[in-house]
Amino acid sequence: MTALKLSRRALMQSGGALALTSFIPDRIAAAASADIAPVKLPPPISAEERLSRLARARELMQKNGIGSVLVEAGPSLDYFTGIQWWRSERLTAVVIPAQGEPIVVTPFFEGPSIREMLVVPAEVRTWQEDEEPLKLVADSLKERGVANAPIGFEETNRYFIMNRLQRQLPEAKIVSANPVVRQVRMIKTPAELALMQVAADITVNAFRSIHPKIREGMTPADIDMLYVAAVEAQGGKTDGGLILLGEAAAYPHGSGQPQQVRKGEVVLLDCGCEVHGYQSDISRTFVYGSAPSADQRKVWEQMGRGQDIAMAAAKVGAPAGSVDDAVRSAYESWGYGPGYKLPGTSHRTGHGIGMEGHEPVNLVHGEMTPLAPGMCFSNEPGIYLPGKFGIRLEDCFHMTEAGPKWFTVPPPSIDRPFD
């Protein structure tokens, strides 16, 4: 359930992460990674696979009557072209026509960098600082003969792009590109699954490595430093995780109050990492320094059963929302809720995952998208008791023809939280 990167970092900082002096000096954090070995990483996504993605996108565009798709900088641009770029006021985007090669639009001075990253055949067209980049996009659509056909916009494209393109093409019909971009990205290939599996392995290895190094008095920032070092020692990338201590664990994305590890209280680790652009997202909860209380053990075991219920409900062809419904029905029978009310589970049972930590679709009430092989989700029906503590276990799975398959298997008990 790790939040967006900037939000997660902000939460950590407001939760006591920016202490005047760190509990763990850098040299100790470095030493903490010495007992963990690098992992052999699978190769990045190949140019051939990206070409197959473009071919599939064109099929779906023709099927859905879409003449072109516009994708600006972000994960979807990387997905189709290999270009890893950030968003700014200067437009970098790709136009994918229903027929023919893509056209990449970027500032003139960024052209060399963009061409260096591009791994599929595509024309790169550049614009100068005093020019309108959306005119370049409009001209490209006219040249390809698709300016009068519906233009699909990737769902995260910013408003100014649509607004300024419509000034160039007043008659343009702009539609959602979800039937193309979302549909292609939602179904992961074996190469994508392999990268996600290694990212998950690295995260679990990091948890196992840092668990015995956690000490009373540590802050979320101290634990996060250990985690980052353990991930990077294995070859993964991470901006850190969400570490919730004590009562803060009762609130899914934490609290602004200072936090420290205390004996007998819950420690919740919600972290992930990236391998060649693909994500993991895993949570583990344990009690520090003493045997769990009866309530802590009860809630931990109920939450584990919730994960099992979700897996049993995740059947090929079933609506994604039915997984959430099955968990919530059981929780309500145990006295939680009703629905998303607390104490209980105030968030969806899971979210999609792939190149982004959170992707469509979600395991949430009312989501009717049928589950299909290749879809990937988190399974995290946490249970939260405001004012007391929360328990969240989170493991991701992917759908196969035979049903769901874990990337990481949940731990067997609160006494063995990293087995």
Side-chain angles (χ1 to χ4, degrees):
M1 144 149 324
T2 42
L4 292 175
K5 294 183 179 180
L6 290 177
S7 299
R8 180 171 64 204
R9 179 65 64 194
L11 275 165
M12 287 182 55
Q13 291 175 350
S14 66
L18 294 183
L20 292 178
T21 58
S22 176
F23 193 96
I24 305 176
D26 289 345
R27 60 181 178 80
I28 298 179
S33 64
D35 63 348
I36 191 165
V39 171
K40 184 177 180 181
L41 305 182
I45 298 298
S46 67
E48 290 74 19
E49 179 149 329
R50 284 192 168 86
L51 286 172
S52 71
R53 295 169 175 178
L54 287 167
R56 176 61 176 150
R58 293 187 191 100
E59 291 176 5
L60 290 169
M61 290 160 67
Q62 293 167 14
K63 177 181 177 182
N64 289 278
I66 297 173
S68 62
V69 165
L70 179 65
V71 175
E72 71 161 312
S76 291
L77 180 65
D78 182 8
Y79 181 85
F80 287 112
T81 70
I83 297 171
Q84 298 176 357
W85 209 247
W86 62 92
R87 294 187 178 187
S88 73
E89 75 281 7
R90 296 183 174 100
L91 178 67
T92 290
V94 63
V95 177
I96 306 172
Q99 294 182 339
E101 290 185 354
I103 298 169
V104 178
V105 174
T106 195
F108 172 77
F109 66 90
E110 306 288 19
S113 300
I114 294 297
R115 291 185 178 92
E116 185 179 82
M117 285 184 285
L118 183 63
V119 297
V120 296
E123 182 182 354
V124 178
R125 298 186 179 184
T126 61
W127 53 276
Q128 299 290 355
E129 290 278 71
D130 60 347
E131 295 178 326
E132 170 56 82
L134 275 305
K135 182 178 186 304
L136 202 58
V137 171
D139 290 345
S140 299
L141 293 170
K142 291 175 183 176
E143 289 176 22
R144 295 299 173 90
V146 292
N148 295 322
I151 303 167
F153 260 50
E154 203 268 348
E155 60 188 321
T156 68
N157 285 358
R158 290 168 293 175
Y159 172 78
F160 81 85
I161 300 172
M162 179 177 69
N163 180 255
R164 285 161 54 183
L165 180 60
Q166 287 179 321
R167 295 179 196 171
Q168 300 296 321
L169 298 171
E171 303 303 317
K173 181 180 181 181
I174 295 177
V175 299
S176 170
N178 281 356
V180 179
V181 178
R182 179 186 284 193
Q183 184 63 32
V184 177
R185 283 189 57 185
M186 194 162 48
I187 307 300
K188 273 59 177 183
T189 65
E192 292 177 288
L193 296 175
L195 292 171
M196 293 176 68
Q197 182 63 65
V198 172
D201 293 343
I202 288 174
T203 300
V204 169
N205 290 344
F207 283 166
R208 290 171 179 152
S209 173
I210 71 172
H211 176 225
K213 301 178 178 72
I214 295 173
R215 298 287 184 268
E216 189 165 5
M218 283 185 174
T219 67
D222 296 324
I223 298 172
D224 188 61
M225 190 182 299
L226 291 174
Y227 174 73
V228 170
V231 167
E232 292 179 347
Q234 298 176 80
K237 298 179 181 179
T238 182
D239 70 331
L242 179 64
I243 316 296
L244 306 179
L245 306 176
E247 184 188 342
Y251 314 107
H253 282 156
S255 164
Q257 298 301 313
Q259 302 166 44
Q260 289 186 333
V261 175
R262 294 185 175 88
K263 186 175 181 180
E265 291 190 350
V266 159
V267 175
L268 194 162
L269 311 177
D270 182 352
C271 305
C273 75
E274 174 189 329
V275 173
H276 294 321
Y278 284 81
Q279 307 289 325
S280 62
D281 191 2
I282 302 171
S283 298
R284 292 290 181 263
T285 306
F286 64 97
V287 175
Y288 177 79
S290 70
S293 69
D295 281 347
Q296 290 168 338
R297 185 178 298 278
K298 174 186 175 182
V299 175
W300 197 101
E301 291 175 353
Q302 288 177 324
M303 213 248 94
R305 288 164 62 192
Q307 282 191 304
D308 293 338
I309 291 167
M311 289 296 273
K315 301 180 185 297
V316 172
S322 66
V323 178
D324 185 81
D325 292 341
V327 172
R328 219 157 292 279
S329 176
Y331 280 11
E332 288 179 10
S333 74
W334 301 340
Y336 296 115
Y340 295 90
K341 294 182 179 179
L342 293 173
T345 301
S346 52
H347 57 73
R348 62 202 174 199
T349 292
H351 54 78
I353 186 170
M355 292 184 74
E356 297 169 272
H358 289 193
E359 294 184 356
V361 292
N362 298 309
L363 304 179
V364 66
H365 176 71
E367 177 56 68
M368 299 306 296
T369 302
L371 298 178
M375 289 183 176
C376 299
F377 301 96
S378 70
N379 180 344
E380 48 174 321
I383 297 177
Y384 309 98
L385 283 61
K388 297 180 179 179
F389 64 90
I391 302 291
R392 181 162 70 247
L393 304 173
E394 177 182 11
D395 295 273
C396 293
F397 67 92
H398 60 96
M399 295 298 298
T400 74
E401 294 286 356
K405 181 178 180 180
W406 291 115
F407 285 106
T408 54
V409 177
S413 74
I414 194 171
D415 305 301
R416 297 163 56 196
F418 299 101
D419 287 356

